């Protein structure tokens, strides 16, 4: 999506460890108009997939996920992060290793919000090694619901997450696909 690539070129900074900082429009300060455009595009691409709910993980997936859900006309659920969980009977849970924070989190969704008839779309801000998406795949499997697609605002194509989603046989849409960080600049996959 050209508008997103332009914004990444303009406002993104590359940090050590292949981390792209985009906290002035995506995951700290949020540009609502851009989020609306991203949500519109995800909704367009998954319009015929029969989605009943959008799933994400707090907190940085929430902005694009809620806009996507708005345009699909379905609810959005964000998995909550916890350091460790006890008393999990009423929850679906999974373990997720955080790429940026380098800590393990448990993530959870209340069982009341997922139904075996659901068909979900997973939305997140970044796809790096695919740990967050895998955690949501695990919850979906546990809840016996179908994952009809994964949409990420930015994928770092050179890391493992892209292949993980492809290998799972789930349709993947990345609105910006980064092939490499070279000499402090971003190279997009189609460049
Ligand atoms: P994964 O679980 O795919 O390894 O990493 C995805 C999660 O880590 C995203 O939800 C995002 O919060 C964070 N993340 C991964 N790579 C980046 C990055 O380059 N920049 C930022 N800001 N967050 C990232």
């Amino acid at each position: 999506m050209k508008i997103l690539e332009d914004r990444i070129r303009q406002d993104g900074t590359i940090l050590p460890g292949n981390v792209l900082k985009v906290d002035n429009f995506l995951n700290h300060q949020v540009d609502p108009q851009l989020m609306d455009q991203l949500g519109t595009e995800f909704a367009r691409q998954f319009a015929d997939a029969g989605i009943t709910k959008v799933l994400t993980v707090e907190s940085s997936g929430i902005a694009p996920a809620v806009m996507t859900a708005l345009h699909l006309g379905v609810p959005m659920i964000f998995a909550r992060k916890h350091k460790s969980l006890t008393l999990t009977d009423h929850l679906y849970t999974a373990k997720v290793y955080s790429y940026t924070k380098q800590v393990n989190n448990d993530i959870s969704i209340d069982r009341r919000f997922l139904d075996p008839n659901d068909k979900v779309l997973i939305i997140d801000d970044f796809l790096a090694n695919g740990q967050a998406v895998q955690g949501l795949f695990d919850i979906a499997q546990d809840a016996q619901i179908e994952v009809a697609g994964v949409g990420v605002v930015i994928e770092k194509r050179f890391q493992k997450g892209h292949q993980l989603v492809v290998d799972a046989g789930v349709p993947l849409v990345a609105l910006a696909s980064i092939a490499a960080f070279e000499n402090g600049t971003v190279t997009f996959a189609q460049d």
Side-chain angles (χ1 to χ4, degrees), residues 18-20 27 60 99-100 124-126 128-132 156:
N18 286 325
V19 171
L20 179 68
N27 49 27
S60 47
Y99 183 87
T100 44
D124 206 358
D125 60 340
F126 273 90
N129 287 327
Q131 294 297 295
K156 292 179 289 180

Side-chain angles (χ1 to χ4, degrees), residues 50-100:
I51 306 296
T52 62
K53 278 166 195 162
V54 173
L55 297 192
T56 190
V57 179
E58 70 173 349
S59 55
S60 47
I62 292 176
V66 76
M67 287 305 191
T68 305
L70 176 70
H71 289 287
L72 285 171
V74 300
M76 183 280 285
I77 306 169
F78 63 89
R80 291 191 158 148
K81 282 182 190 161
H82 314 257
K83 282 217 174 67
S84 68
L85 272 171
T86 51
L87 292 175
T88 58
D89 285 1
H90 64 299
L91 301 173
Y92 293 112
T93 66
K95 293 215 175 297
V96 170
Y97 181 76
S98 163
Y99 183 87
T100 44

